[in-house]
Amino acid sequence: MNSVSPSAVQYIVGGDAHEDKPSAQSRRQNGHGSVPDGLREGSGEPDEVDRLKAKFMSAWNNVKYGWTVKSKTTFNKTSPLILLGQSYLFNSEDEVDRFRQVFVSCLWLTYRREFPQLEGSSLTTDCGWGCMLRSGQMLLAQGLLRHLMPPDWKWADCHLLTDVDFEVLKPHSPSRPAGMSLPSFSSSWTSPISQRDPSSGSSEGHRRTPPRCPAASHEPQLEALHRKVVSWFGDHPSAPFGVHQLVELGKESGKRAGDWYGPSVVAHMLRNAVARTAEFHNLAVYVAQDCTVYKGDVIRLCESPLTQELSDSWKSVIILVPVRLGGESLNPSYIECVKNILRLKCCIGIIGGKPKHSLFFIGFQDEQLLYLDPHYCQPVVDVTQGNFSLESFHCNSPRKMNFSRMDPSCTIGFYAQTKSDFESLCSAVSEALSSSKEKYPIFTFVEGSGPNYGLEGQSGGSMDAPANIFSCNRMSRNNKRGSTDEFVLL
């Protein structure tokens, strides 16, 4: 399947091959299809039938997630859009460009194919099963950009937005279900890109280069650091946050290549990945227990004895909070609370999605969430090469979905650079949480330490624990699903 230039990518509108969630006995079957048992670790050398099955499934998924469906996203010119804690009102070209630079600068991590074989399997692609891993990568990547880059950093080569309209939207009416369309902004700001027919036989090397418009000036040191951050998420066994390393970490919780992952498990995997990377001696990841952030545990984690003798004894921290926002579907009472959280500058995004479809949420407008979608299969990029292409790691086609479609199981991410930032984070998030009409908040901040806190785990609990996400909203008594159920992916 020939690839399509990321600048011309339209997000996939795909169905699920399995409408019902797999039972505990059939967890070997992921949301996109099954991986033959013979390909799994510990099952021995895969036989020829299993190899053929794996090749067929890989080929099918590459076709399924390599095709694109052309569609446009409409943004309201009269309502503010929130992106990573910043507000944008699309009433001028300057404001559209300000949004463009921030959105396109986010790292976009998607399915890849033809990467080195995953250990213990014959898989050379995560297409069809790795979308939650990719969403988790994007959350961590946003935290690393916040940690390493200046606050006003933008990718100097960010592309133009594609397939977007800016209109004055009116309330729904029987005569007009959408809105009153006004002329879009100049094509110098939104430019549709000609897209080759995937069946025409064009090769990767002949893709049309997307247009760019002036952005921040090139600063060699920052661009080198940007490229280094991208390389940490490369699809190579040596990349500290690549799929190979995450799958290896997933074995500690009983997960294997080809399995689907929940947002709680991925949070613990990200924590362990950062803890095992020597470059991040000044950064820690804390994962909340039972929907509770224990301040004492965060302080103990960040005020490491190894750094207390230094003038700056505080590690920066990424806080990950696995939560459940309802039973079988999203509780509407929590929508305003989620909006308030996304308005905070300390929030770095939410990994979750819609049922059976993992997404990375980074903002909202009106009653719709703004997201990055990993469900697009691209060829692997060799990040070990000094001048590898960055184009496929950035998206310029923003997409939205209604809050009502959001799956209730998710993990919320925050970042605090200093101790003062952490204290401000606790106050700001607590205030945002108080907006919920529900008796019980999504999660809480408390003094002291959690019951399972340990220095080895760094934030309490083992990675294979489901984090008891049902207890935080007191919904287990009414919920028919078991407490160990995880997020279902497409």
Side-chain angles (χ1 to χ4, degrees), residues 256-314:
R256 298 172 293 183
D259 284 343
W260 46 264
Y261 300 75
S264 175
V265 169
V266 169
H268 288 275
M269 292 163 62
L270 297 177
R271 179 201 69 193
N272 289 350
V274 172
R276 298 181 185 189
T277 304
E279 289 191 64
F280 295 103
H281 61 277
N282 63 342
L283 176 68
V285 176
Y286 173 89
V287 181
Q289 304 177 54
D290 301 325
C291 301
T292 303
V293 176
Y294 292 93
K295 296 181 184 179
D297 290 346
V298 176
I299 292 173
R300 189 190 313 183
L301 176 65
C302 295
E303 290 185 341
S304 170
L306 299 176
T307 62
Q308 284 180 351
E309 296 180 359
L310 302 177
S311 57
D312 184 5
S313 61
W314 180 267

Side-chain angles (χ1 to χ4, degrees), residues 394-411:
H394 293 276
C395 177
N396 62 337
S397 297
R399 290 290 178 261
K400 298 190 297 180
M401 67 168 239
N402 197 283
F403 270 96
S404 62
R405 301 177 64 194
M406 181 180 180
D407 192 282
S409 184
C410 58
T411 289

Side-chain angles (χ1 to χ4, degrees), residues 248-448:
E248 191 66 25
L249 288 168
K251 294 178 182 178
E252 299 177 14
S253 60
K255 299 293 184 182
R256 298 172 293 183
D259 284 343
W260 46 264
Y261 300 75
S264 175
V265 169
V266 169
H268 288 275
M269 292 163 62
L270 297 177
R271 179 201 69 193
N272 289 350
V274 172
R276 298 181 185 189
T277 304
E279 289 191 64
F280 295 103
H281 61 277
N282 63 342
L283 176 68
V285 176
Y286 173 89
V287 181
Q289 304 177 54
D290 301 325
C291 301
T292 303
V293 176
Y294 292 93
K295 296 181 184 179
D297 290 346
V298 176
I299 292 173
R300 189 190 313 183
L301 176 65
C302 295
E303 290 185 341
S304 170
L306 299 176
T307 62
Q308 284 180 351
E309 296 180 359
L310 302 177
S311 57
D312 184 5
S313 61
W314 180 267
K315 288 184 178 181
S316 299
V317 61
I318 293 173
I319 298 175
L320 303 178
V321 188
V323 297
R324 187 165 189 87
L325 308 177
E328 293 293 322
S329 59
L330 177 71
N331 185 338
S333 298
Y334 291 123
I335 291 178
E336 193 61 34
C337 189
V338 173
K339 288 182 178 181
N340 287 340
I341 288 174
L342 289 170
R343 287 188 179 102
L344 301 176
K345 292 184 179 180
C346 60
C347 180
I348 55 175
I350 300 174
I351 57 174
K354 52 189 176 182
K356 306 179 183 181
H357 195 97
S358 175
L359 303 169
F360 176 45
F361 298 120
I362 54 177
F364 71 94
Q365 185 182 47
D366 297 325
E367 300 307 311
Q368 293 185 309
L369 286 153
L370 180 72
Y371 63 84
L372 288 167
D373 190 345
H375 295 86
Y376 177 62
C377 188
Q378 304 187 82
V380 69
V381 173
D382 186 359
V383 298
T384 64
Q385 300 296 318
N387 196 33
F388 66 88
S389 174
L390 292 167
E391 180 182 316
S392 65
F393 295 100
H394 293 276
C395 177
N396 62 337
S397 297
R399 290 290 178 261
K400 298 190 297 180
M401 67 168 239
N402 197 283
F403 270 96
S404 62
R405 301 177 64 194
M406 181 180 180
D407 192 282
S409 184
C410 58
T411 289
I412 306 171
F414 303 95
Y415 172 76
Q417 186 171 32
T418 65
K419 187 173 185 178
S420 176
D421 289 340
F422 171 66
E423 293 169 350
S424 298
L425 182 155
C426 294
S427 299
V429 176
S430 295
E431 183 177 352
L433 295 172
S434 66
S435 66
S436 173
K437 298 178 182 178
E438 286 292 308
K439 180 179 179 181
Y440 300 103
I442 295 176
F443 63 94
T444 59
F445 290 84
V446 300
E447 304 292 339

Side-chain angles (χ1 to χ4, degrees), residues 29-51:
Q29 181 171 323
N30 60 71
H32 299 289
S34 60
V35 176
D37 286 341
L39 301 180
R40 297 299 179 76
E41 184 184 18
S43 60
E45 187 71 20
D47 58 29
E48 190 62 28
V49 173
D50 289 330
R51 290 184 186 275

Side-chain angles (χ1 to χ4, degrees), residues 21-24 27 255 260-265 323-324 327-328 407 409 465-470 479-488:
K21 182 174 179 176
S23 64
R27 286 190 176 231
K255 299 293 184 182
W260 46 264
Y261 300 75
S264 175
V265 169
V323 297
R324 187 165 189 87
E328 293 293 322
D407 192 282
S409 184
N468 298 324
I469 57 177
F470 286 83
N479 201 326
K480 296 181 181 179
R481 289 202 276 189
S483 61
T484 58
D485 283 353
E486 284 290 359
F487 188 81
V488 185

Side-chain angles (χ1 to χ4, degrees), residues 129-157:
W129 57 269
C131 54
M132 182 58 77
L133 294 182
R134 298 298 184 179
S135 296
Q137 285 180 323
M138 286 189 274
L139 177 65
L140 178 59
Q142 184 58 37
L144 294 181
L145 291 177
R146 189 78 63 89
H147 179 62
L148 297 170
M149 296 296 197
D152 59 347
W153 175 81
K154 312 290 189 306
W155 182 34
D157 293 326

Side-chain angles (χ1 to χ4, degrees), residues 1 4 10-12 62-69 195 197-199 375-376:
M1 179 65 196
V4 180
Q10 314 306 317
Y11 284 118
I12 307 304
N62 288 340
V63 171
K64 182 177 181 180
Y65 300 104
W67 287 86
T68 61
V69 177
Q195 179 177 318
D197 183 345
S199 63
H375 295 86
Y376 177 62

